[in-house]
Amino acid sequence: MNHTMTELQRESRMGALGTVTTEREVRRIDLSDFENRRAQITDELWAAATDIGFFQVVGHGIDLAEVRDAFAAAEAYFALPDSVKGAAPLKKGLNSGWESMTQVRPSIGTPDQKESFQLTRPHMDGLWPSESELPGFRDTVLGFERQCWELAMRLLSCFADRLGFDRDFFTRAHDPATVSYQSTLRLLHYFALADDAPVDPTAWRAGAHTDFDCLTLLFQRDGQGGLQVCPGREMDGEAWTPIEPSDDAITCNIGDMLMRWSDDLLPSNFHRVRSPGPDDHRGARYSLAFFAQANRDVLIESPQGKYPPITAEDYLRQRVEANYAPAVTESQPNSAAAR
């Protein structure tokens, strides 16, 4: 059976409410003094990734002030009128531009309750708000994207060591200097709920899904929760673990691309964003997500050859077509990732 269809069929089964469990440990890994502690950090990353596919990192080197600047830039962008944002709509298949309530998950069949602005470096012509509309926005988010890339490559170098690739293997595969670069920074805004809005336990800010990429870095704010995870091997039980948001910890997860590249040693994990309950914060929820996706022309070829070689471009296209058949519309993103 086609590997991408298998992934889609798994995802389409994950729309039920399920239950909540706090028994899983989402490990927090300290990356400080990275080069001197590389062996220990690699062991901790590998153990967490092969266990549930999710982990959090602290001591990661991205200054909290710069994270907050990126969040402030996102808030300012989403406060612009829709007519301004709509002048830079999401480019078909290129993960660049603005979209609102266009992403429909196979797991639930309804649009995610959010809007997003996606930045993929080679495809941003004509998509930036002007300096008069949003002073400093472009420089802030480009600088933040670069820091995310550097951290993602550091983490992927640890997985390269364990998979038998050379240490810089994934760094070369995600080269931002080429036109085939397709890693994406996504600014996300989940809409506020009115205080008197009824609570619907079956409504989701983002339905259950896995990510298409190699590795995702997610930045969240204290008090703006809702993210829940369920390891794929435990999908039949549909027991979900809440991820506590934190200003200083980055939540990371393995994506489908790295799962394939690792002969399934590194599992991609289901996750979703639930809508606020009666006692939860009902205001807007913002998050920043960086998706490390190998360059379009890179060949995904696993060490043991469990799956046939495929370019990253063809792999992502197959995943999108499987999720959004019969056609990928102008507004559908190139990755099923959002948090």
Side-chain angles (χ1 to χ4, degrees), residues 208-226:
H209 63 281
T210 61
D211 292 349
F212 295 173
D213 62 347
C214 280
L215 181 70
T216 302
L217 310 181
L218 177 69
F219 298 78
Q220 301 184 93
R221 282 172 157 172
D222 287 340
Q224 296 185 11

Side-chain angles (χ1 to χ4, degrees), residues 87-265:
L90 194 70
K91 292 182 180 179
K92 182 179 179 180
L94 297 178
N95 271 8
S96 302
W98 176 74
E99 61 80 30
S100 181
M101 293 185 65
T102 64
Q103 194 161 18
V104 179
R105 306 290 178 183
S107 58
I108 58 173
T110 57
D112 288 353
Q113 300 300 298
K114 62 166 178 50
E115 61 178 328
S116 70
F117 179 78
Q118 301 190 56
L119 186 172
T120 304
R121 284 179 177 264
H123 310 300
M124 296 303 294
D125 288 350
L127 298 181
W128 296 107
S130 68
E131 278 296 303
S132 61
E133 291 167 332
L134 216 57
F137 176 78
R138 176 173 177 166
D139 288 344
T140 296
V141 296
L142 279 172
F144 184 71
E145 189 269 356
R146 179 67 189 192
Q147 291 192 81
C148 291
W149 178 86
E150 291 173 352
L151 175 57
M153 295 309 104
R154 201 179 319 149
L155 296 171
L156 285 171
S157 75
C158 295
F159 294 121
D161 283 347
R162 292 299 294 264
L163 290 170
F165 298 126
D166 70 84
R167 185 162 290 177
D168 294 329
F169 177 85
F170 289 116
T171 302
R172 292 193 303 273
H174 297 77
D175 182 2
T178 74
V179 295
S180 66
Y181 182 69
Q182 57 180 356
S183 294
T184 297
L185 175 65
R186 196 173 196 190
L187 316 181
L188 292 142
H189 170 215
Y190 293 89
F191 306 121
L193 273 69
D195 289 339
D196 59 353
V199 175
D200 180 357
T202 65
W204 305 102
R205 278 178 157 171
H209 63 281
T210 61
D211 292 349
F212 295 173
D213 62 347
C214 280
L215 181 70
T216 302
L217 310 181
L218 177 69
F219 298 78
Q220 301 184 93
R221 282 172 157 172
D222 287 340
Q224 296 185 11
L227 178 64
Q228 299 176 330
V229 305
C230 178
R233 66 171 177 269
E234 300 176 31
M235 61 182 290
D236 289 341
E238 292 203 51
W240 296 84
T241 296
I243 303 294
E244 188 67 27
S246 169
D247 284 355
D248 61 352
I250 303 171
T251 300
C252 307
N253 66 274
I254 305 300
D256 299 336
M257 185 179 285
L258 187 56
M259 183 173 173
R260 181 183 180 120
W261 226 328
S262 69
D263 294 306
D264 294 341
L265 291 175

Side-chain angles (χ1 to χ4, degrees), residues 81-89 98 126-127 133:
D82 283 1
S83 59
V84 174
K85 293 177 289 189
W98 176 74
L127 298 181
E133 291 167 332

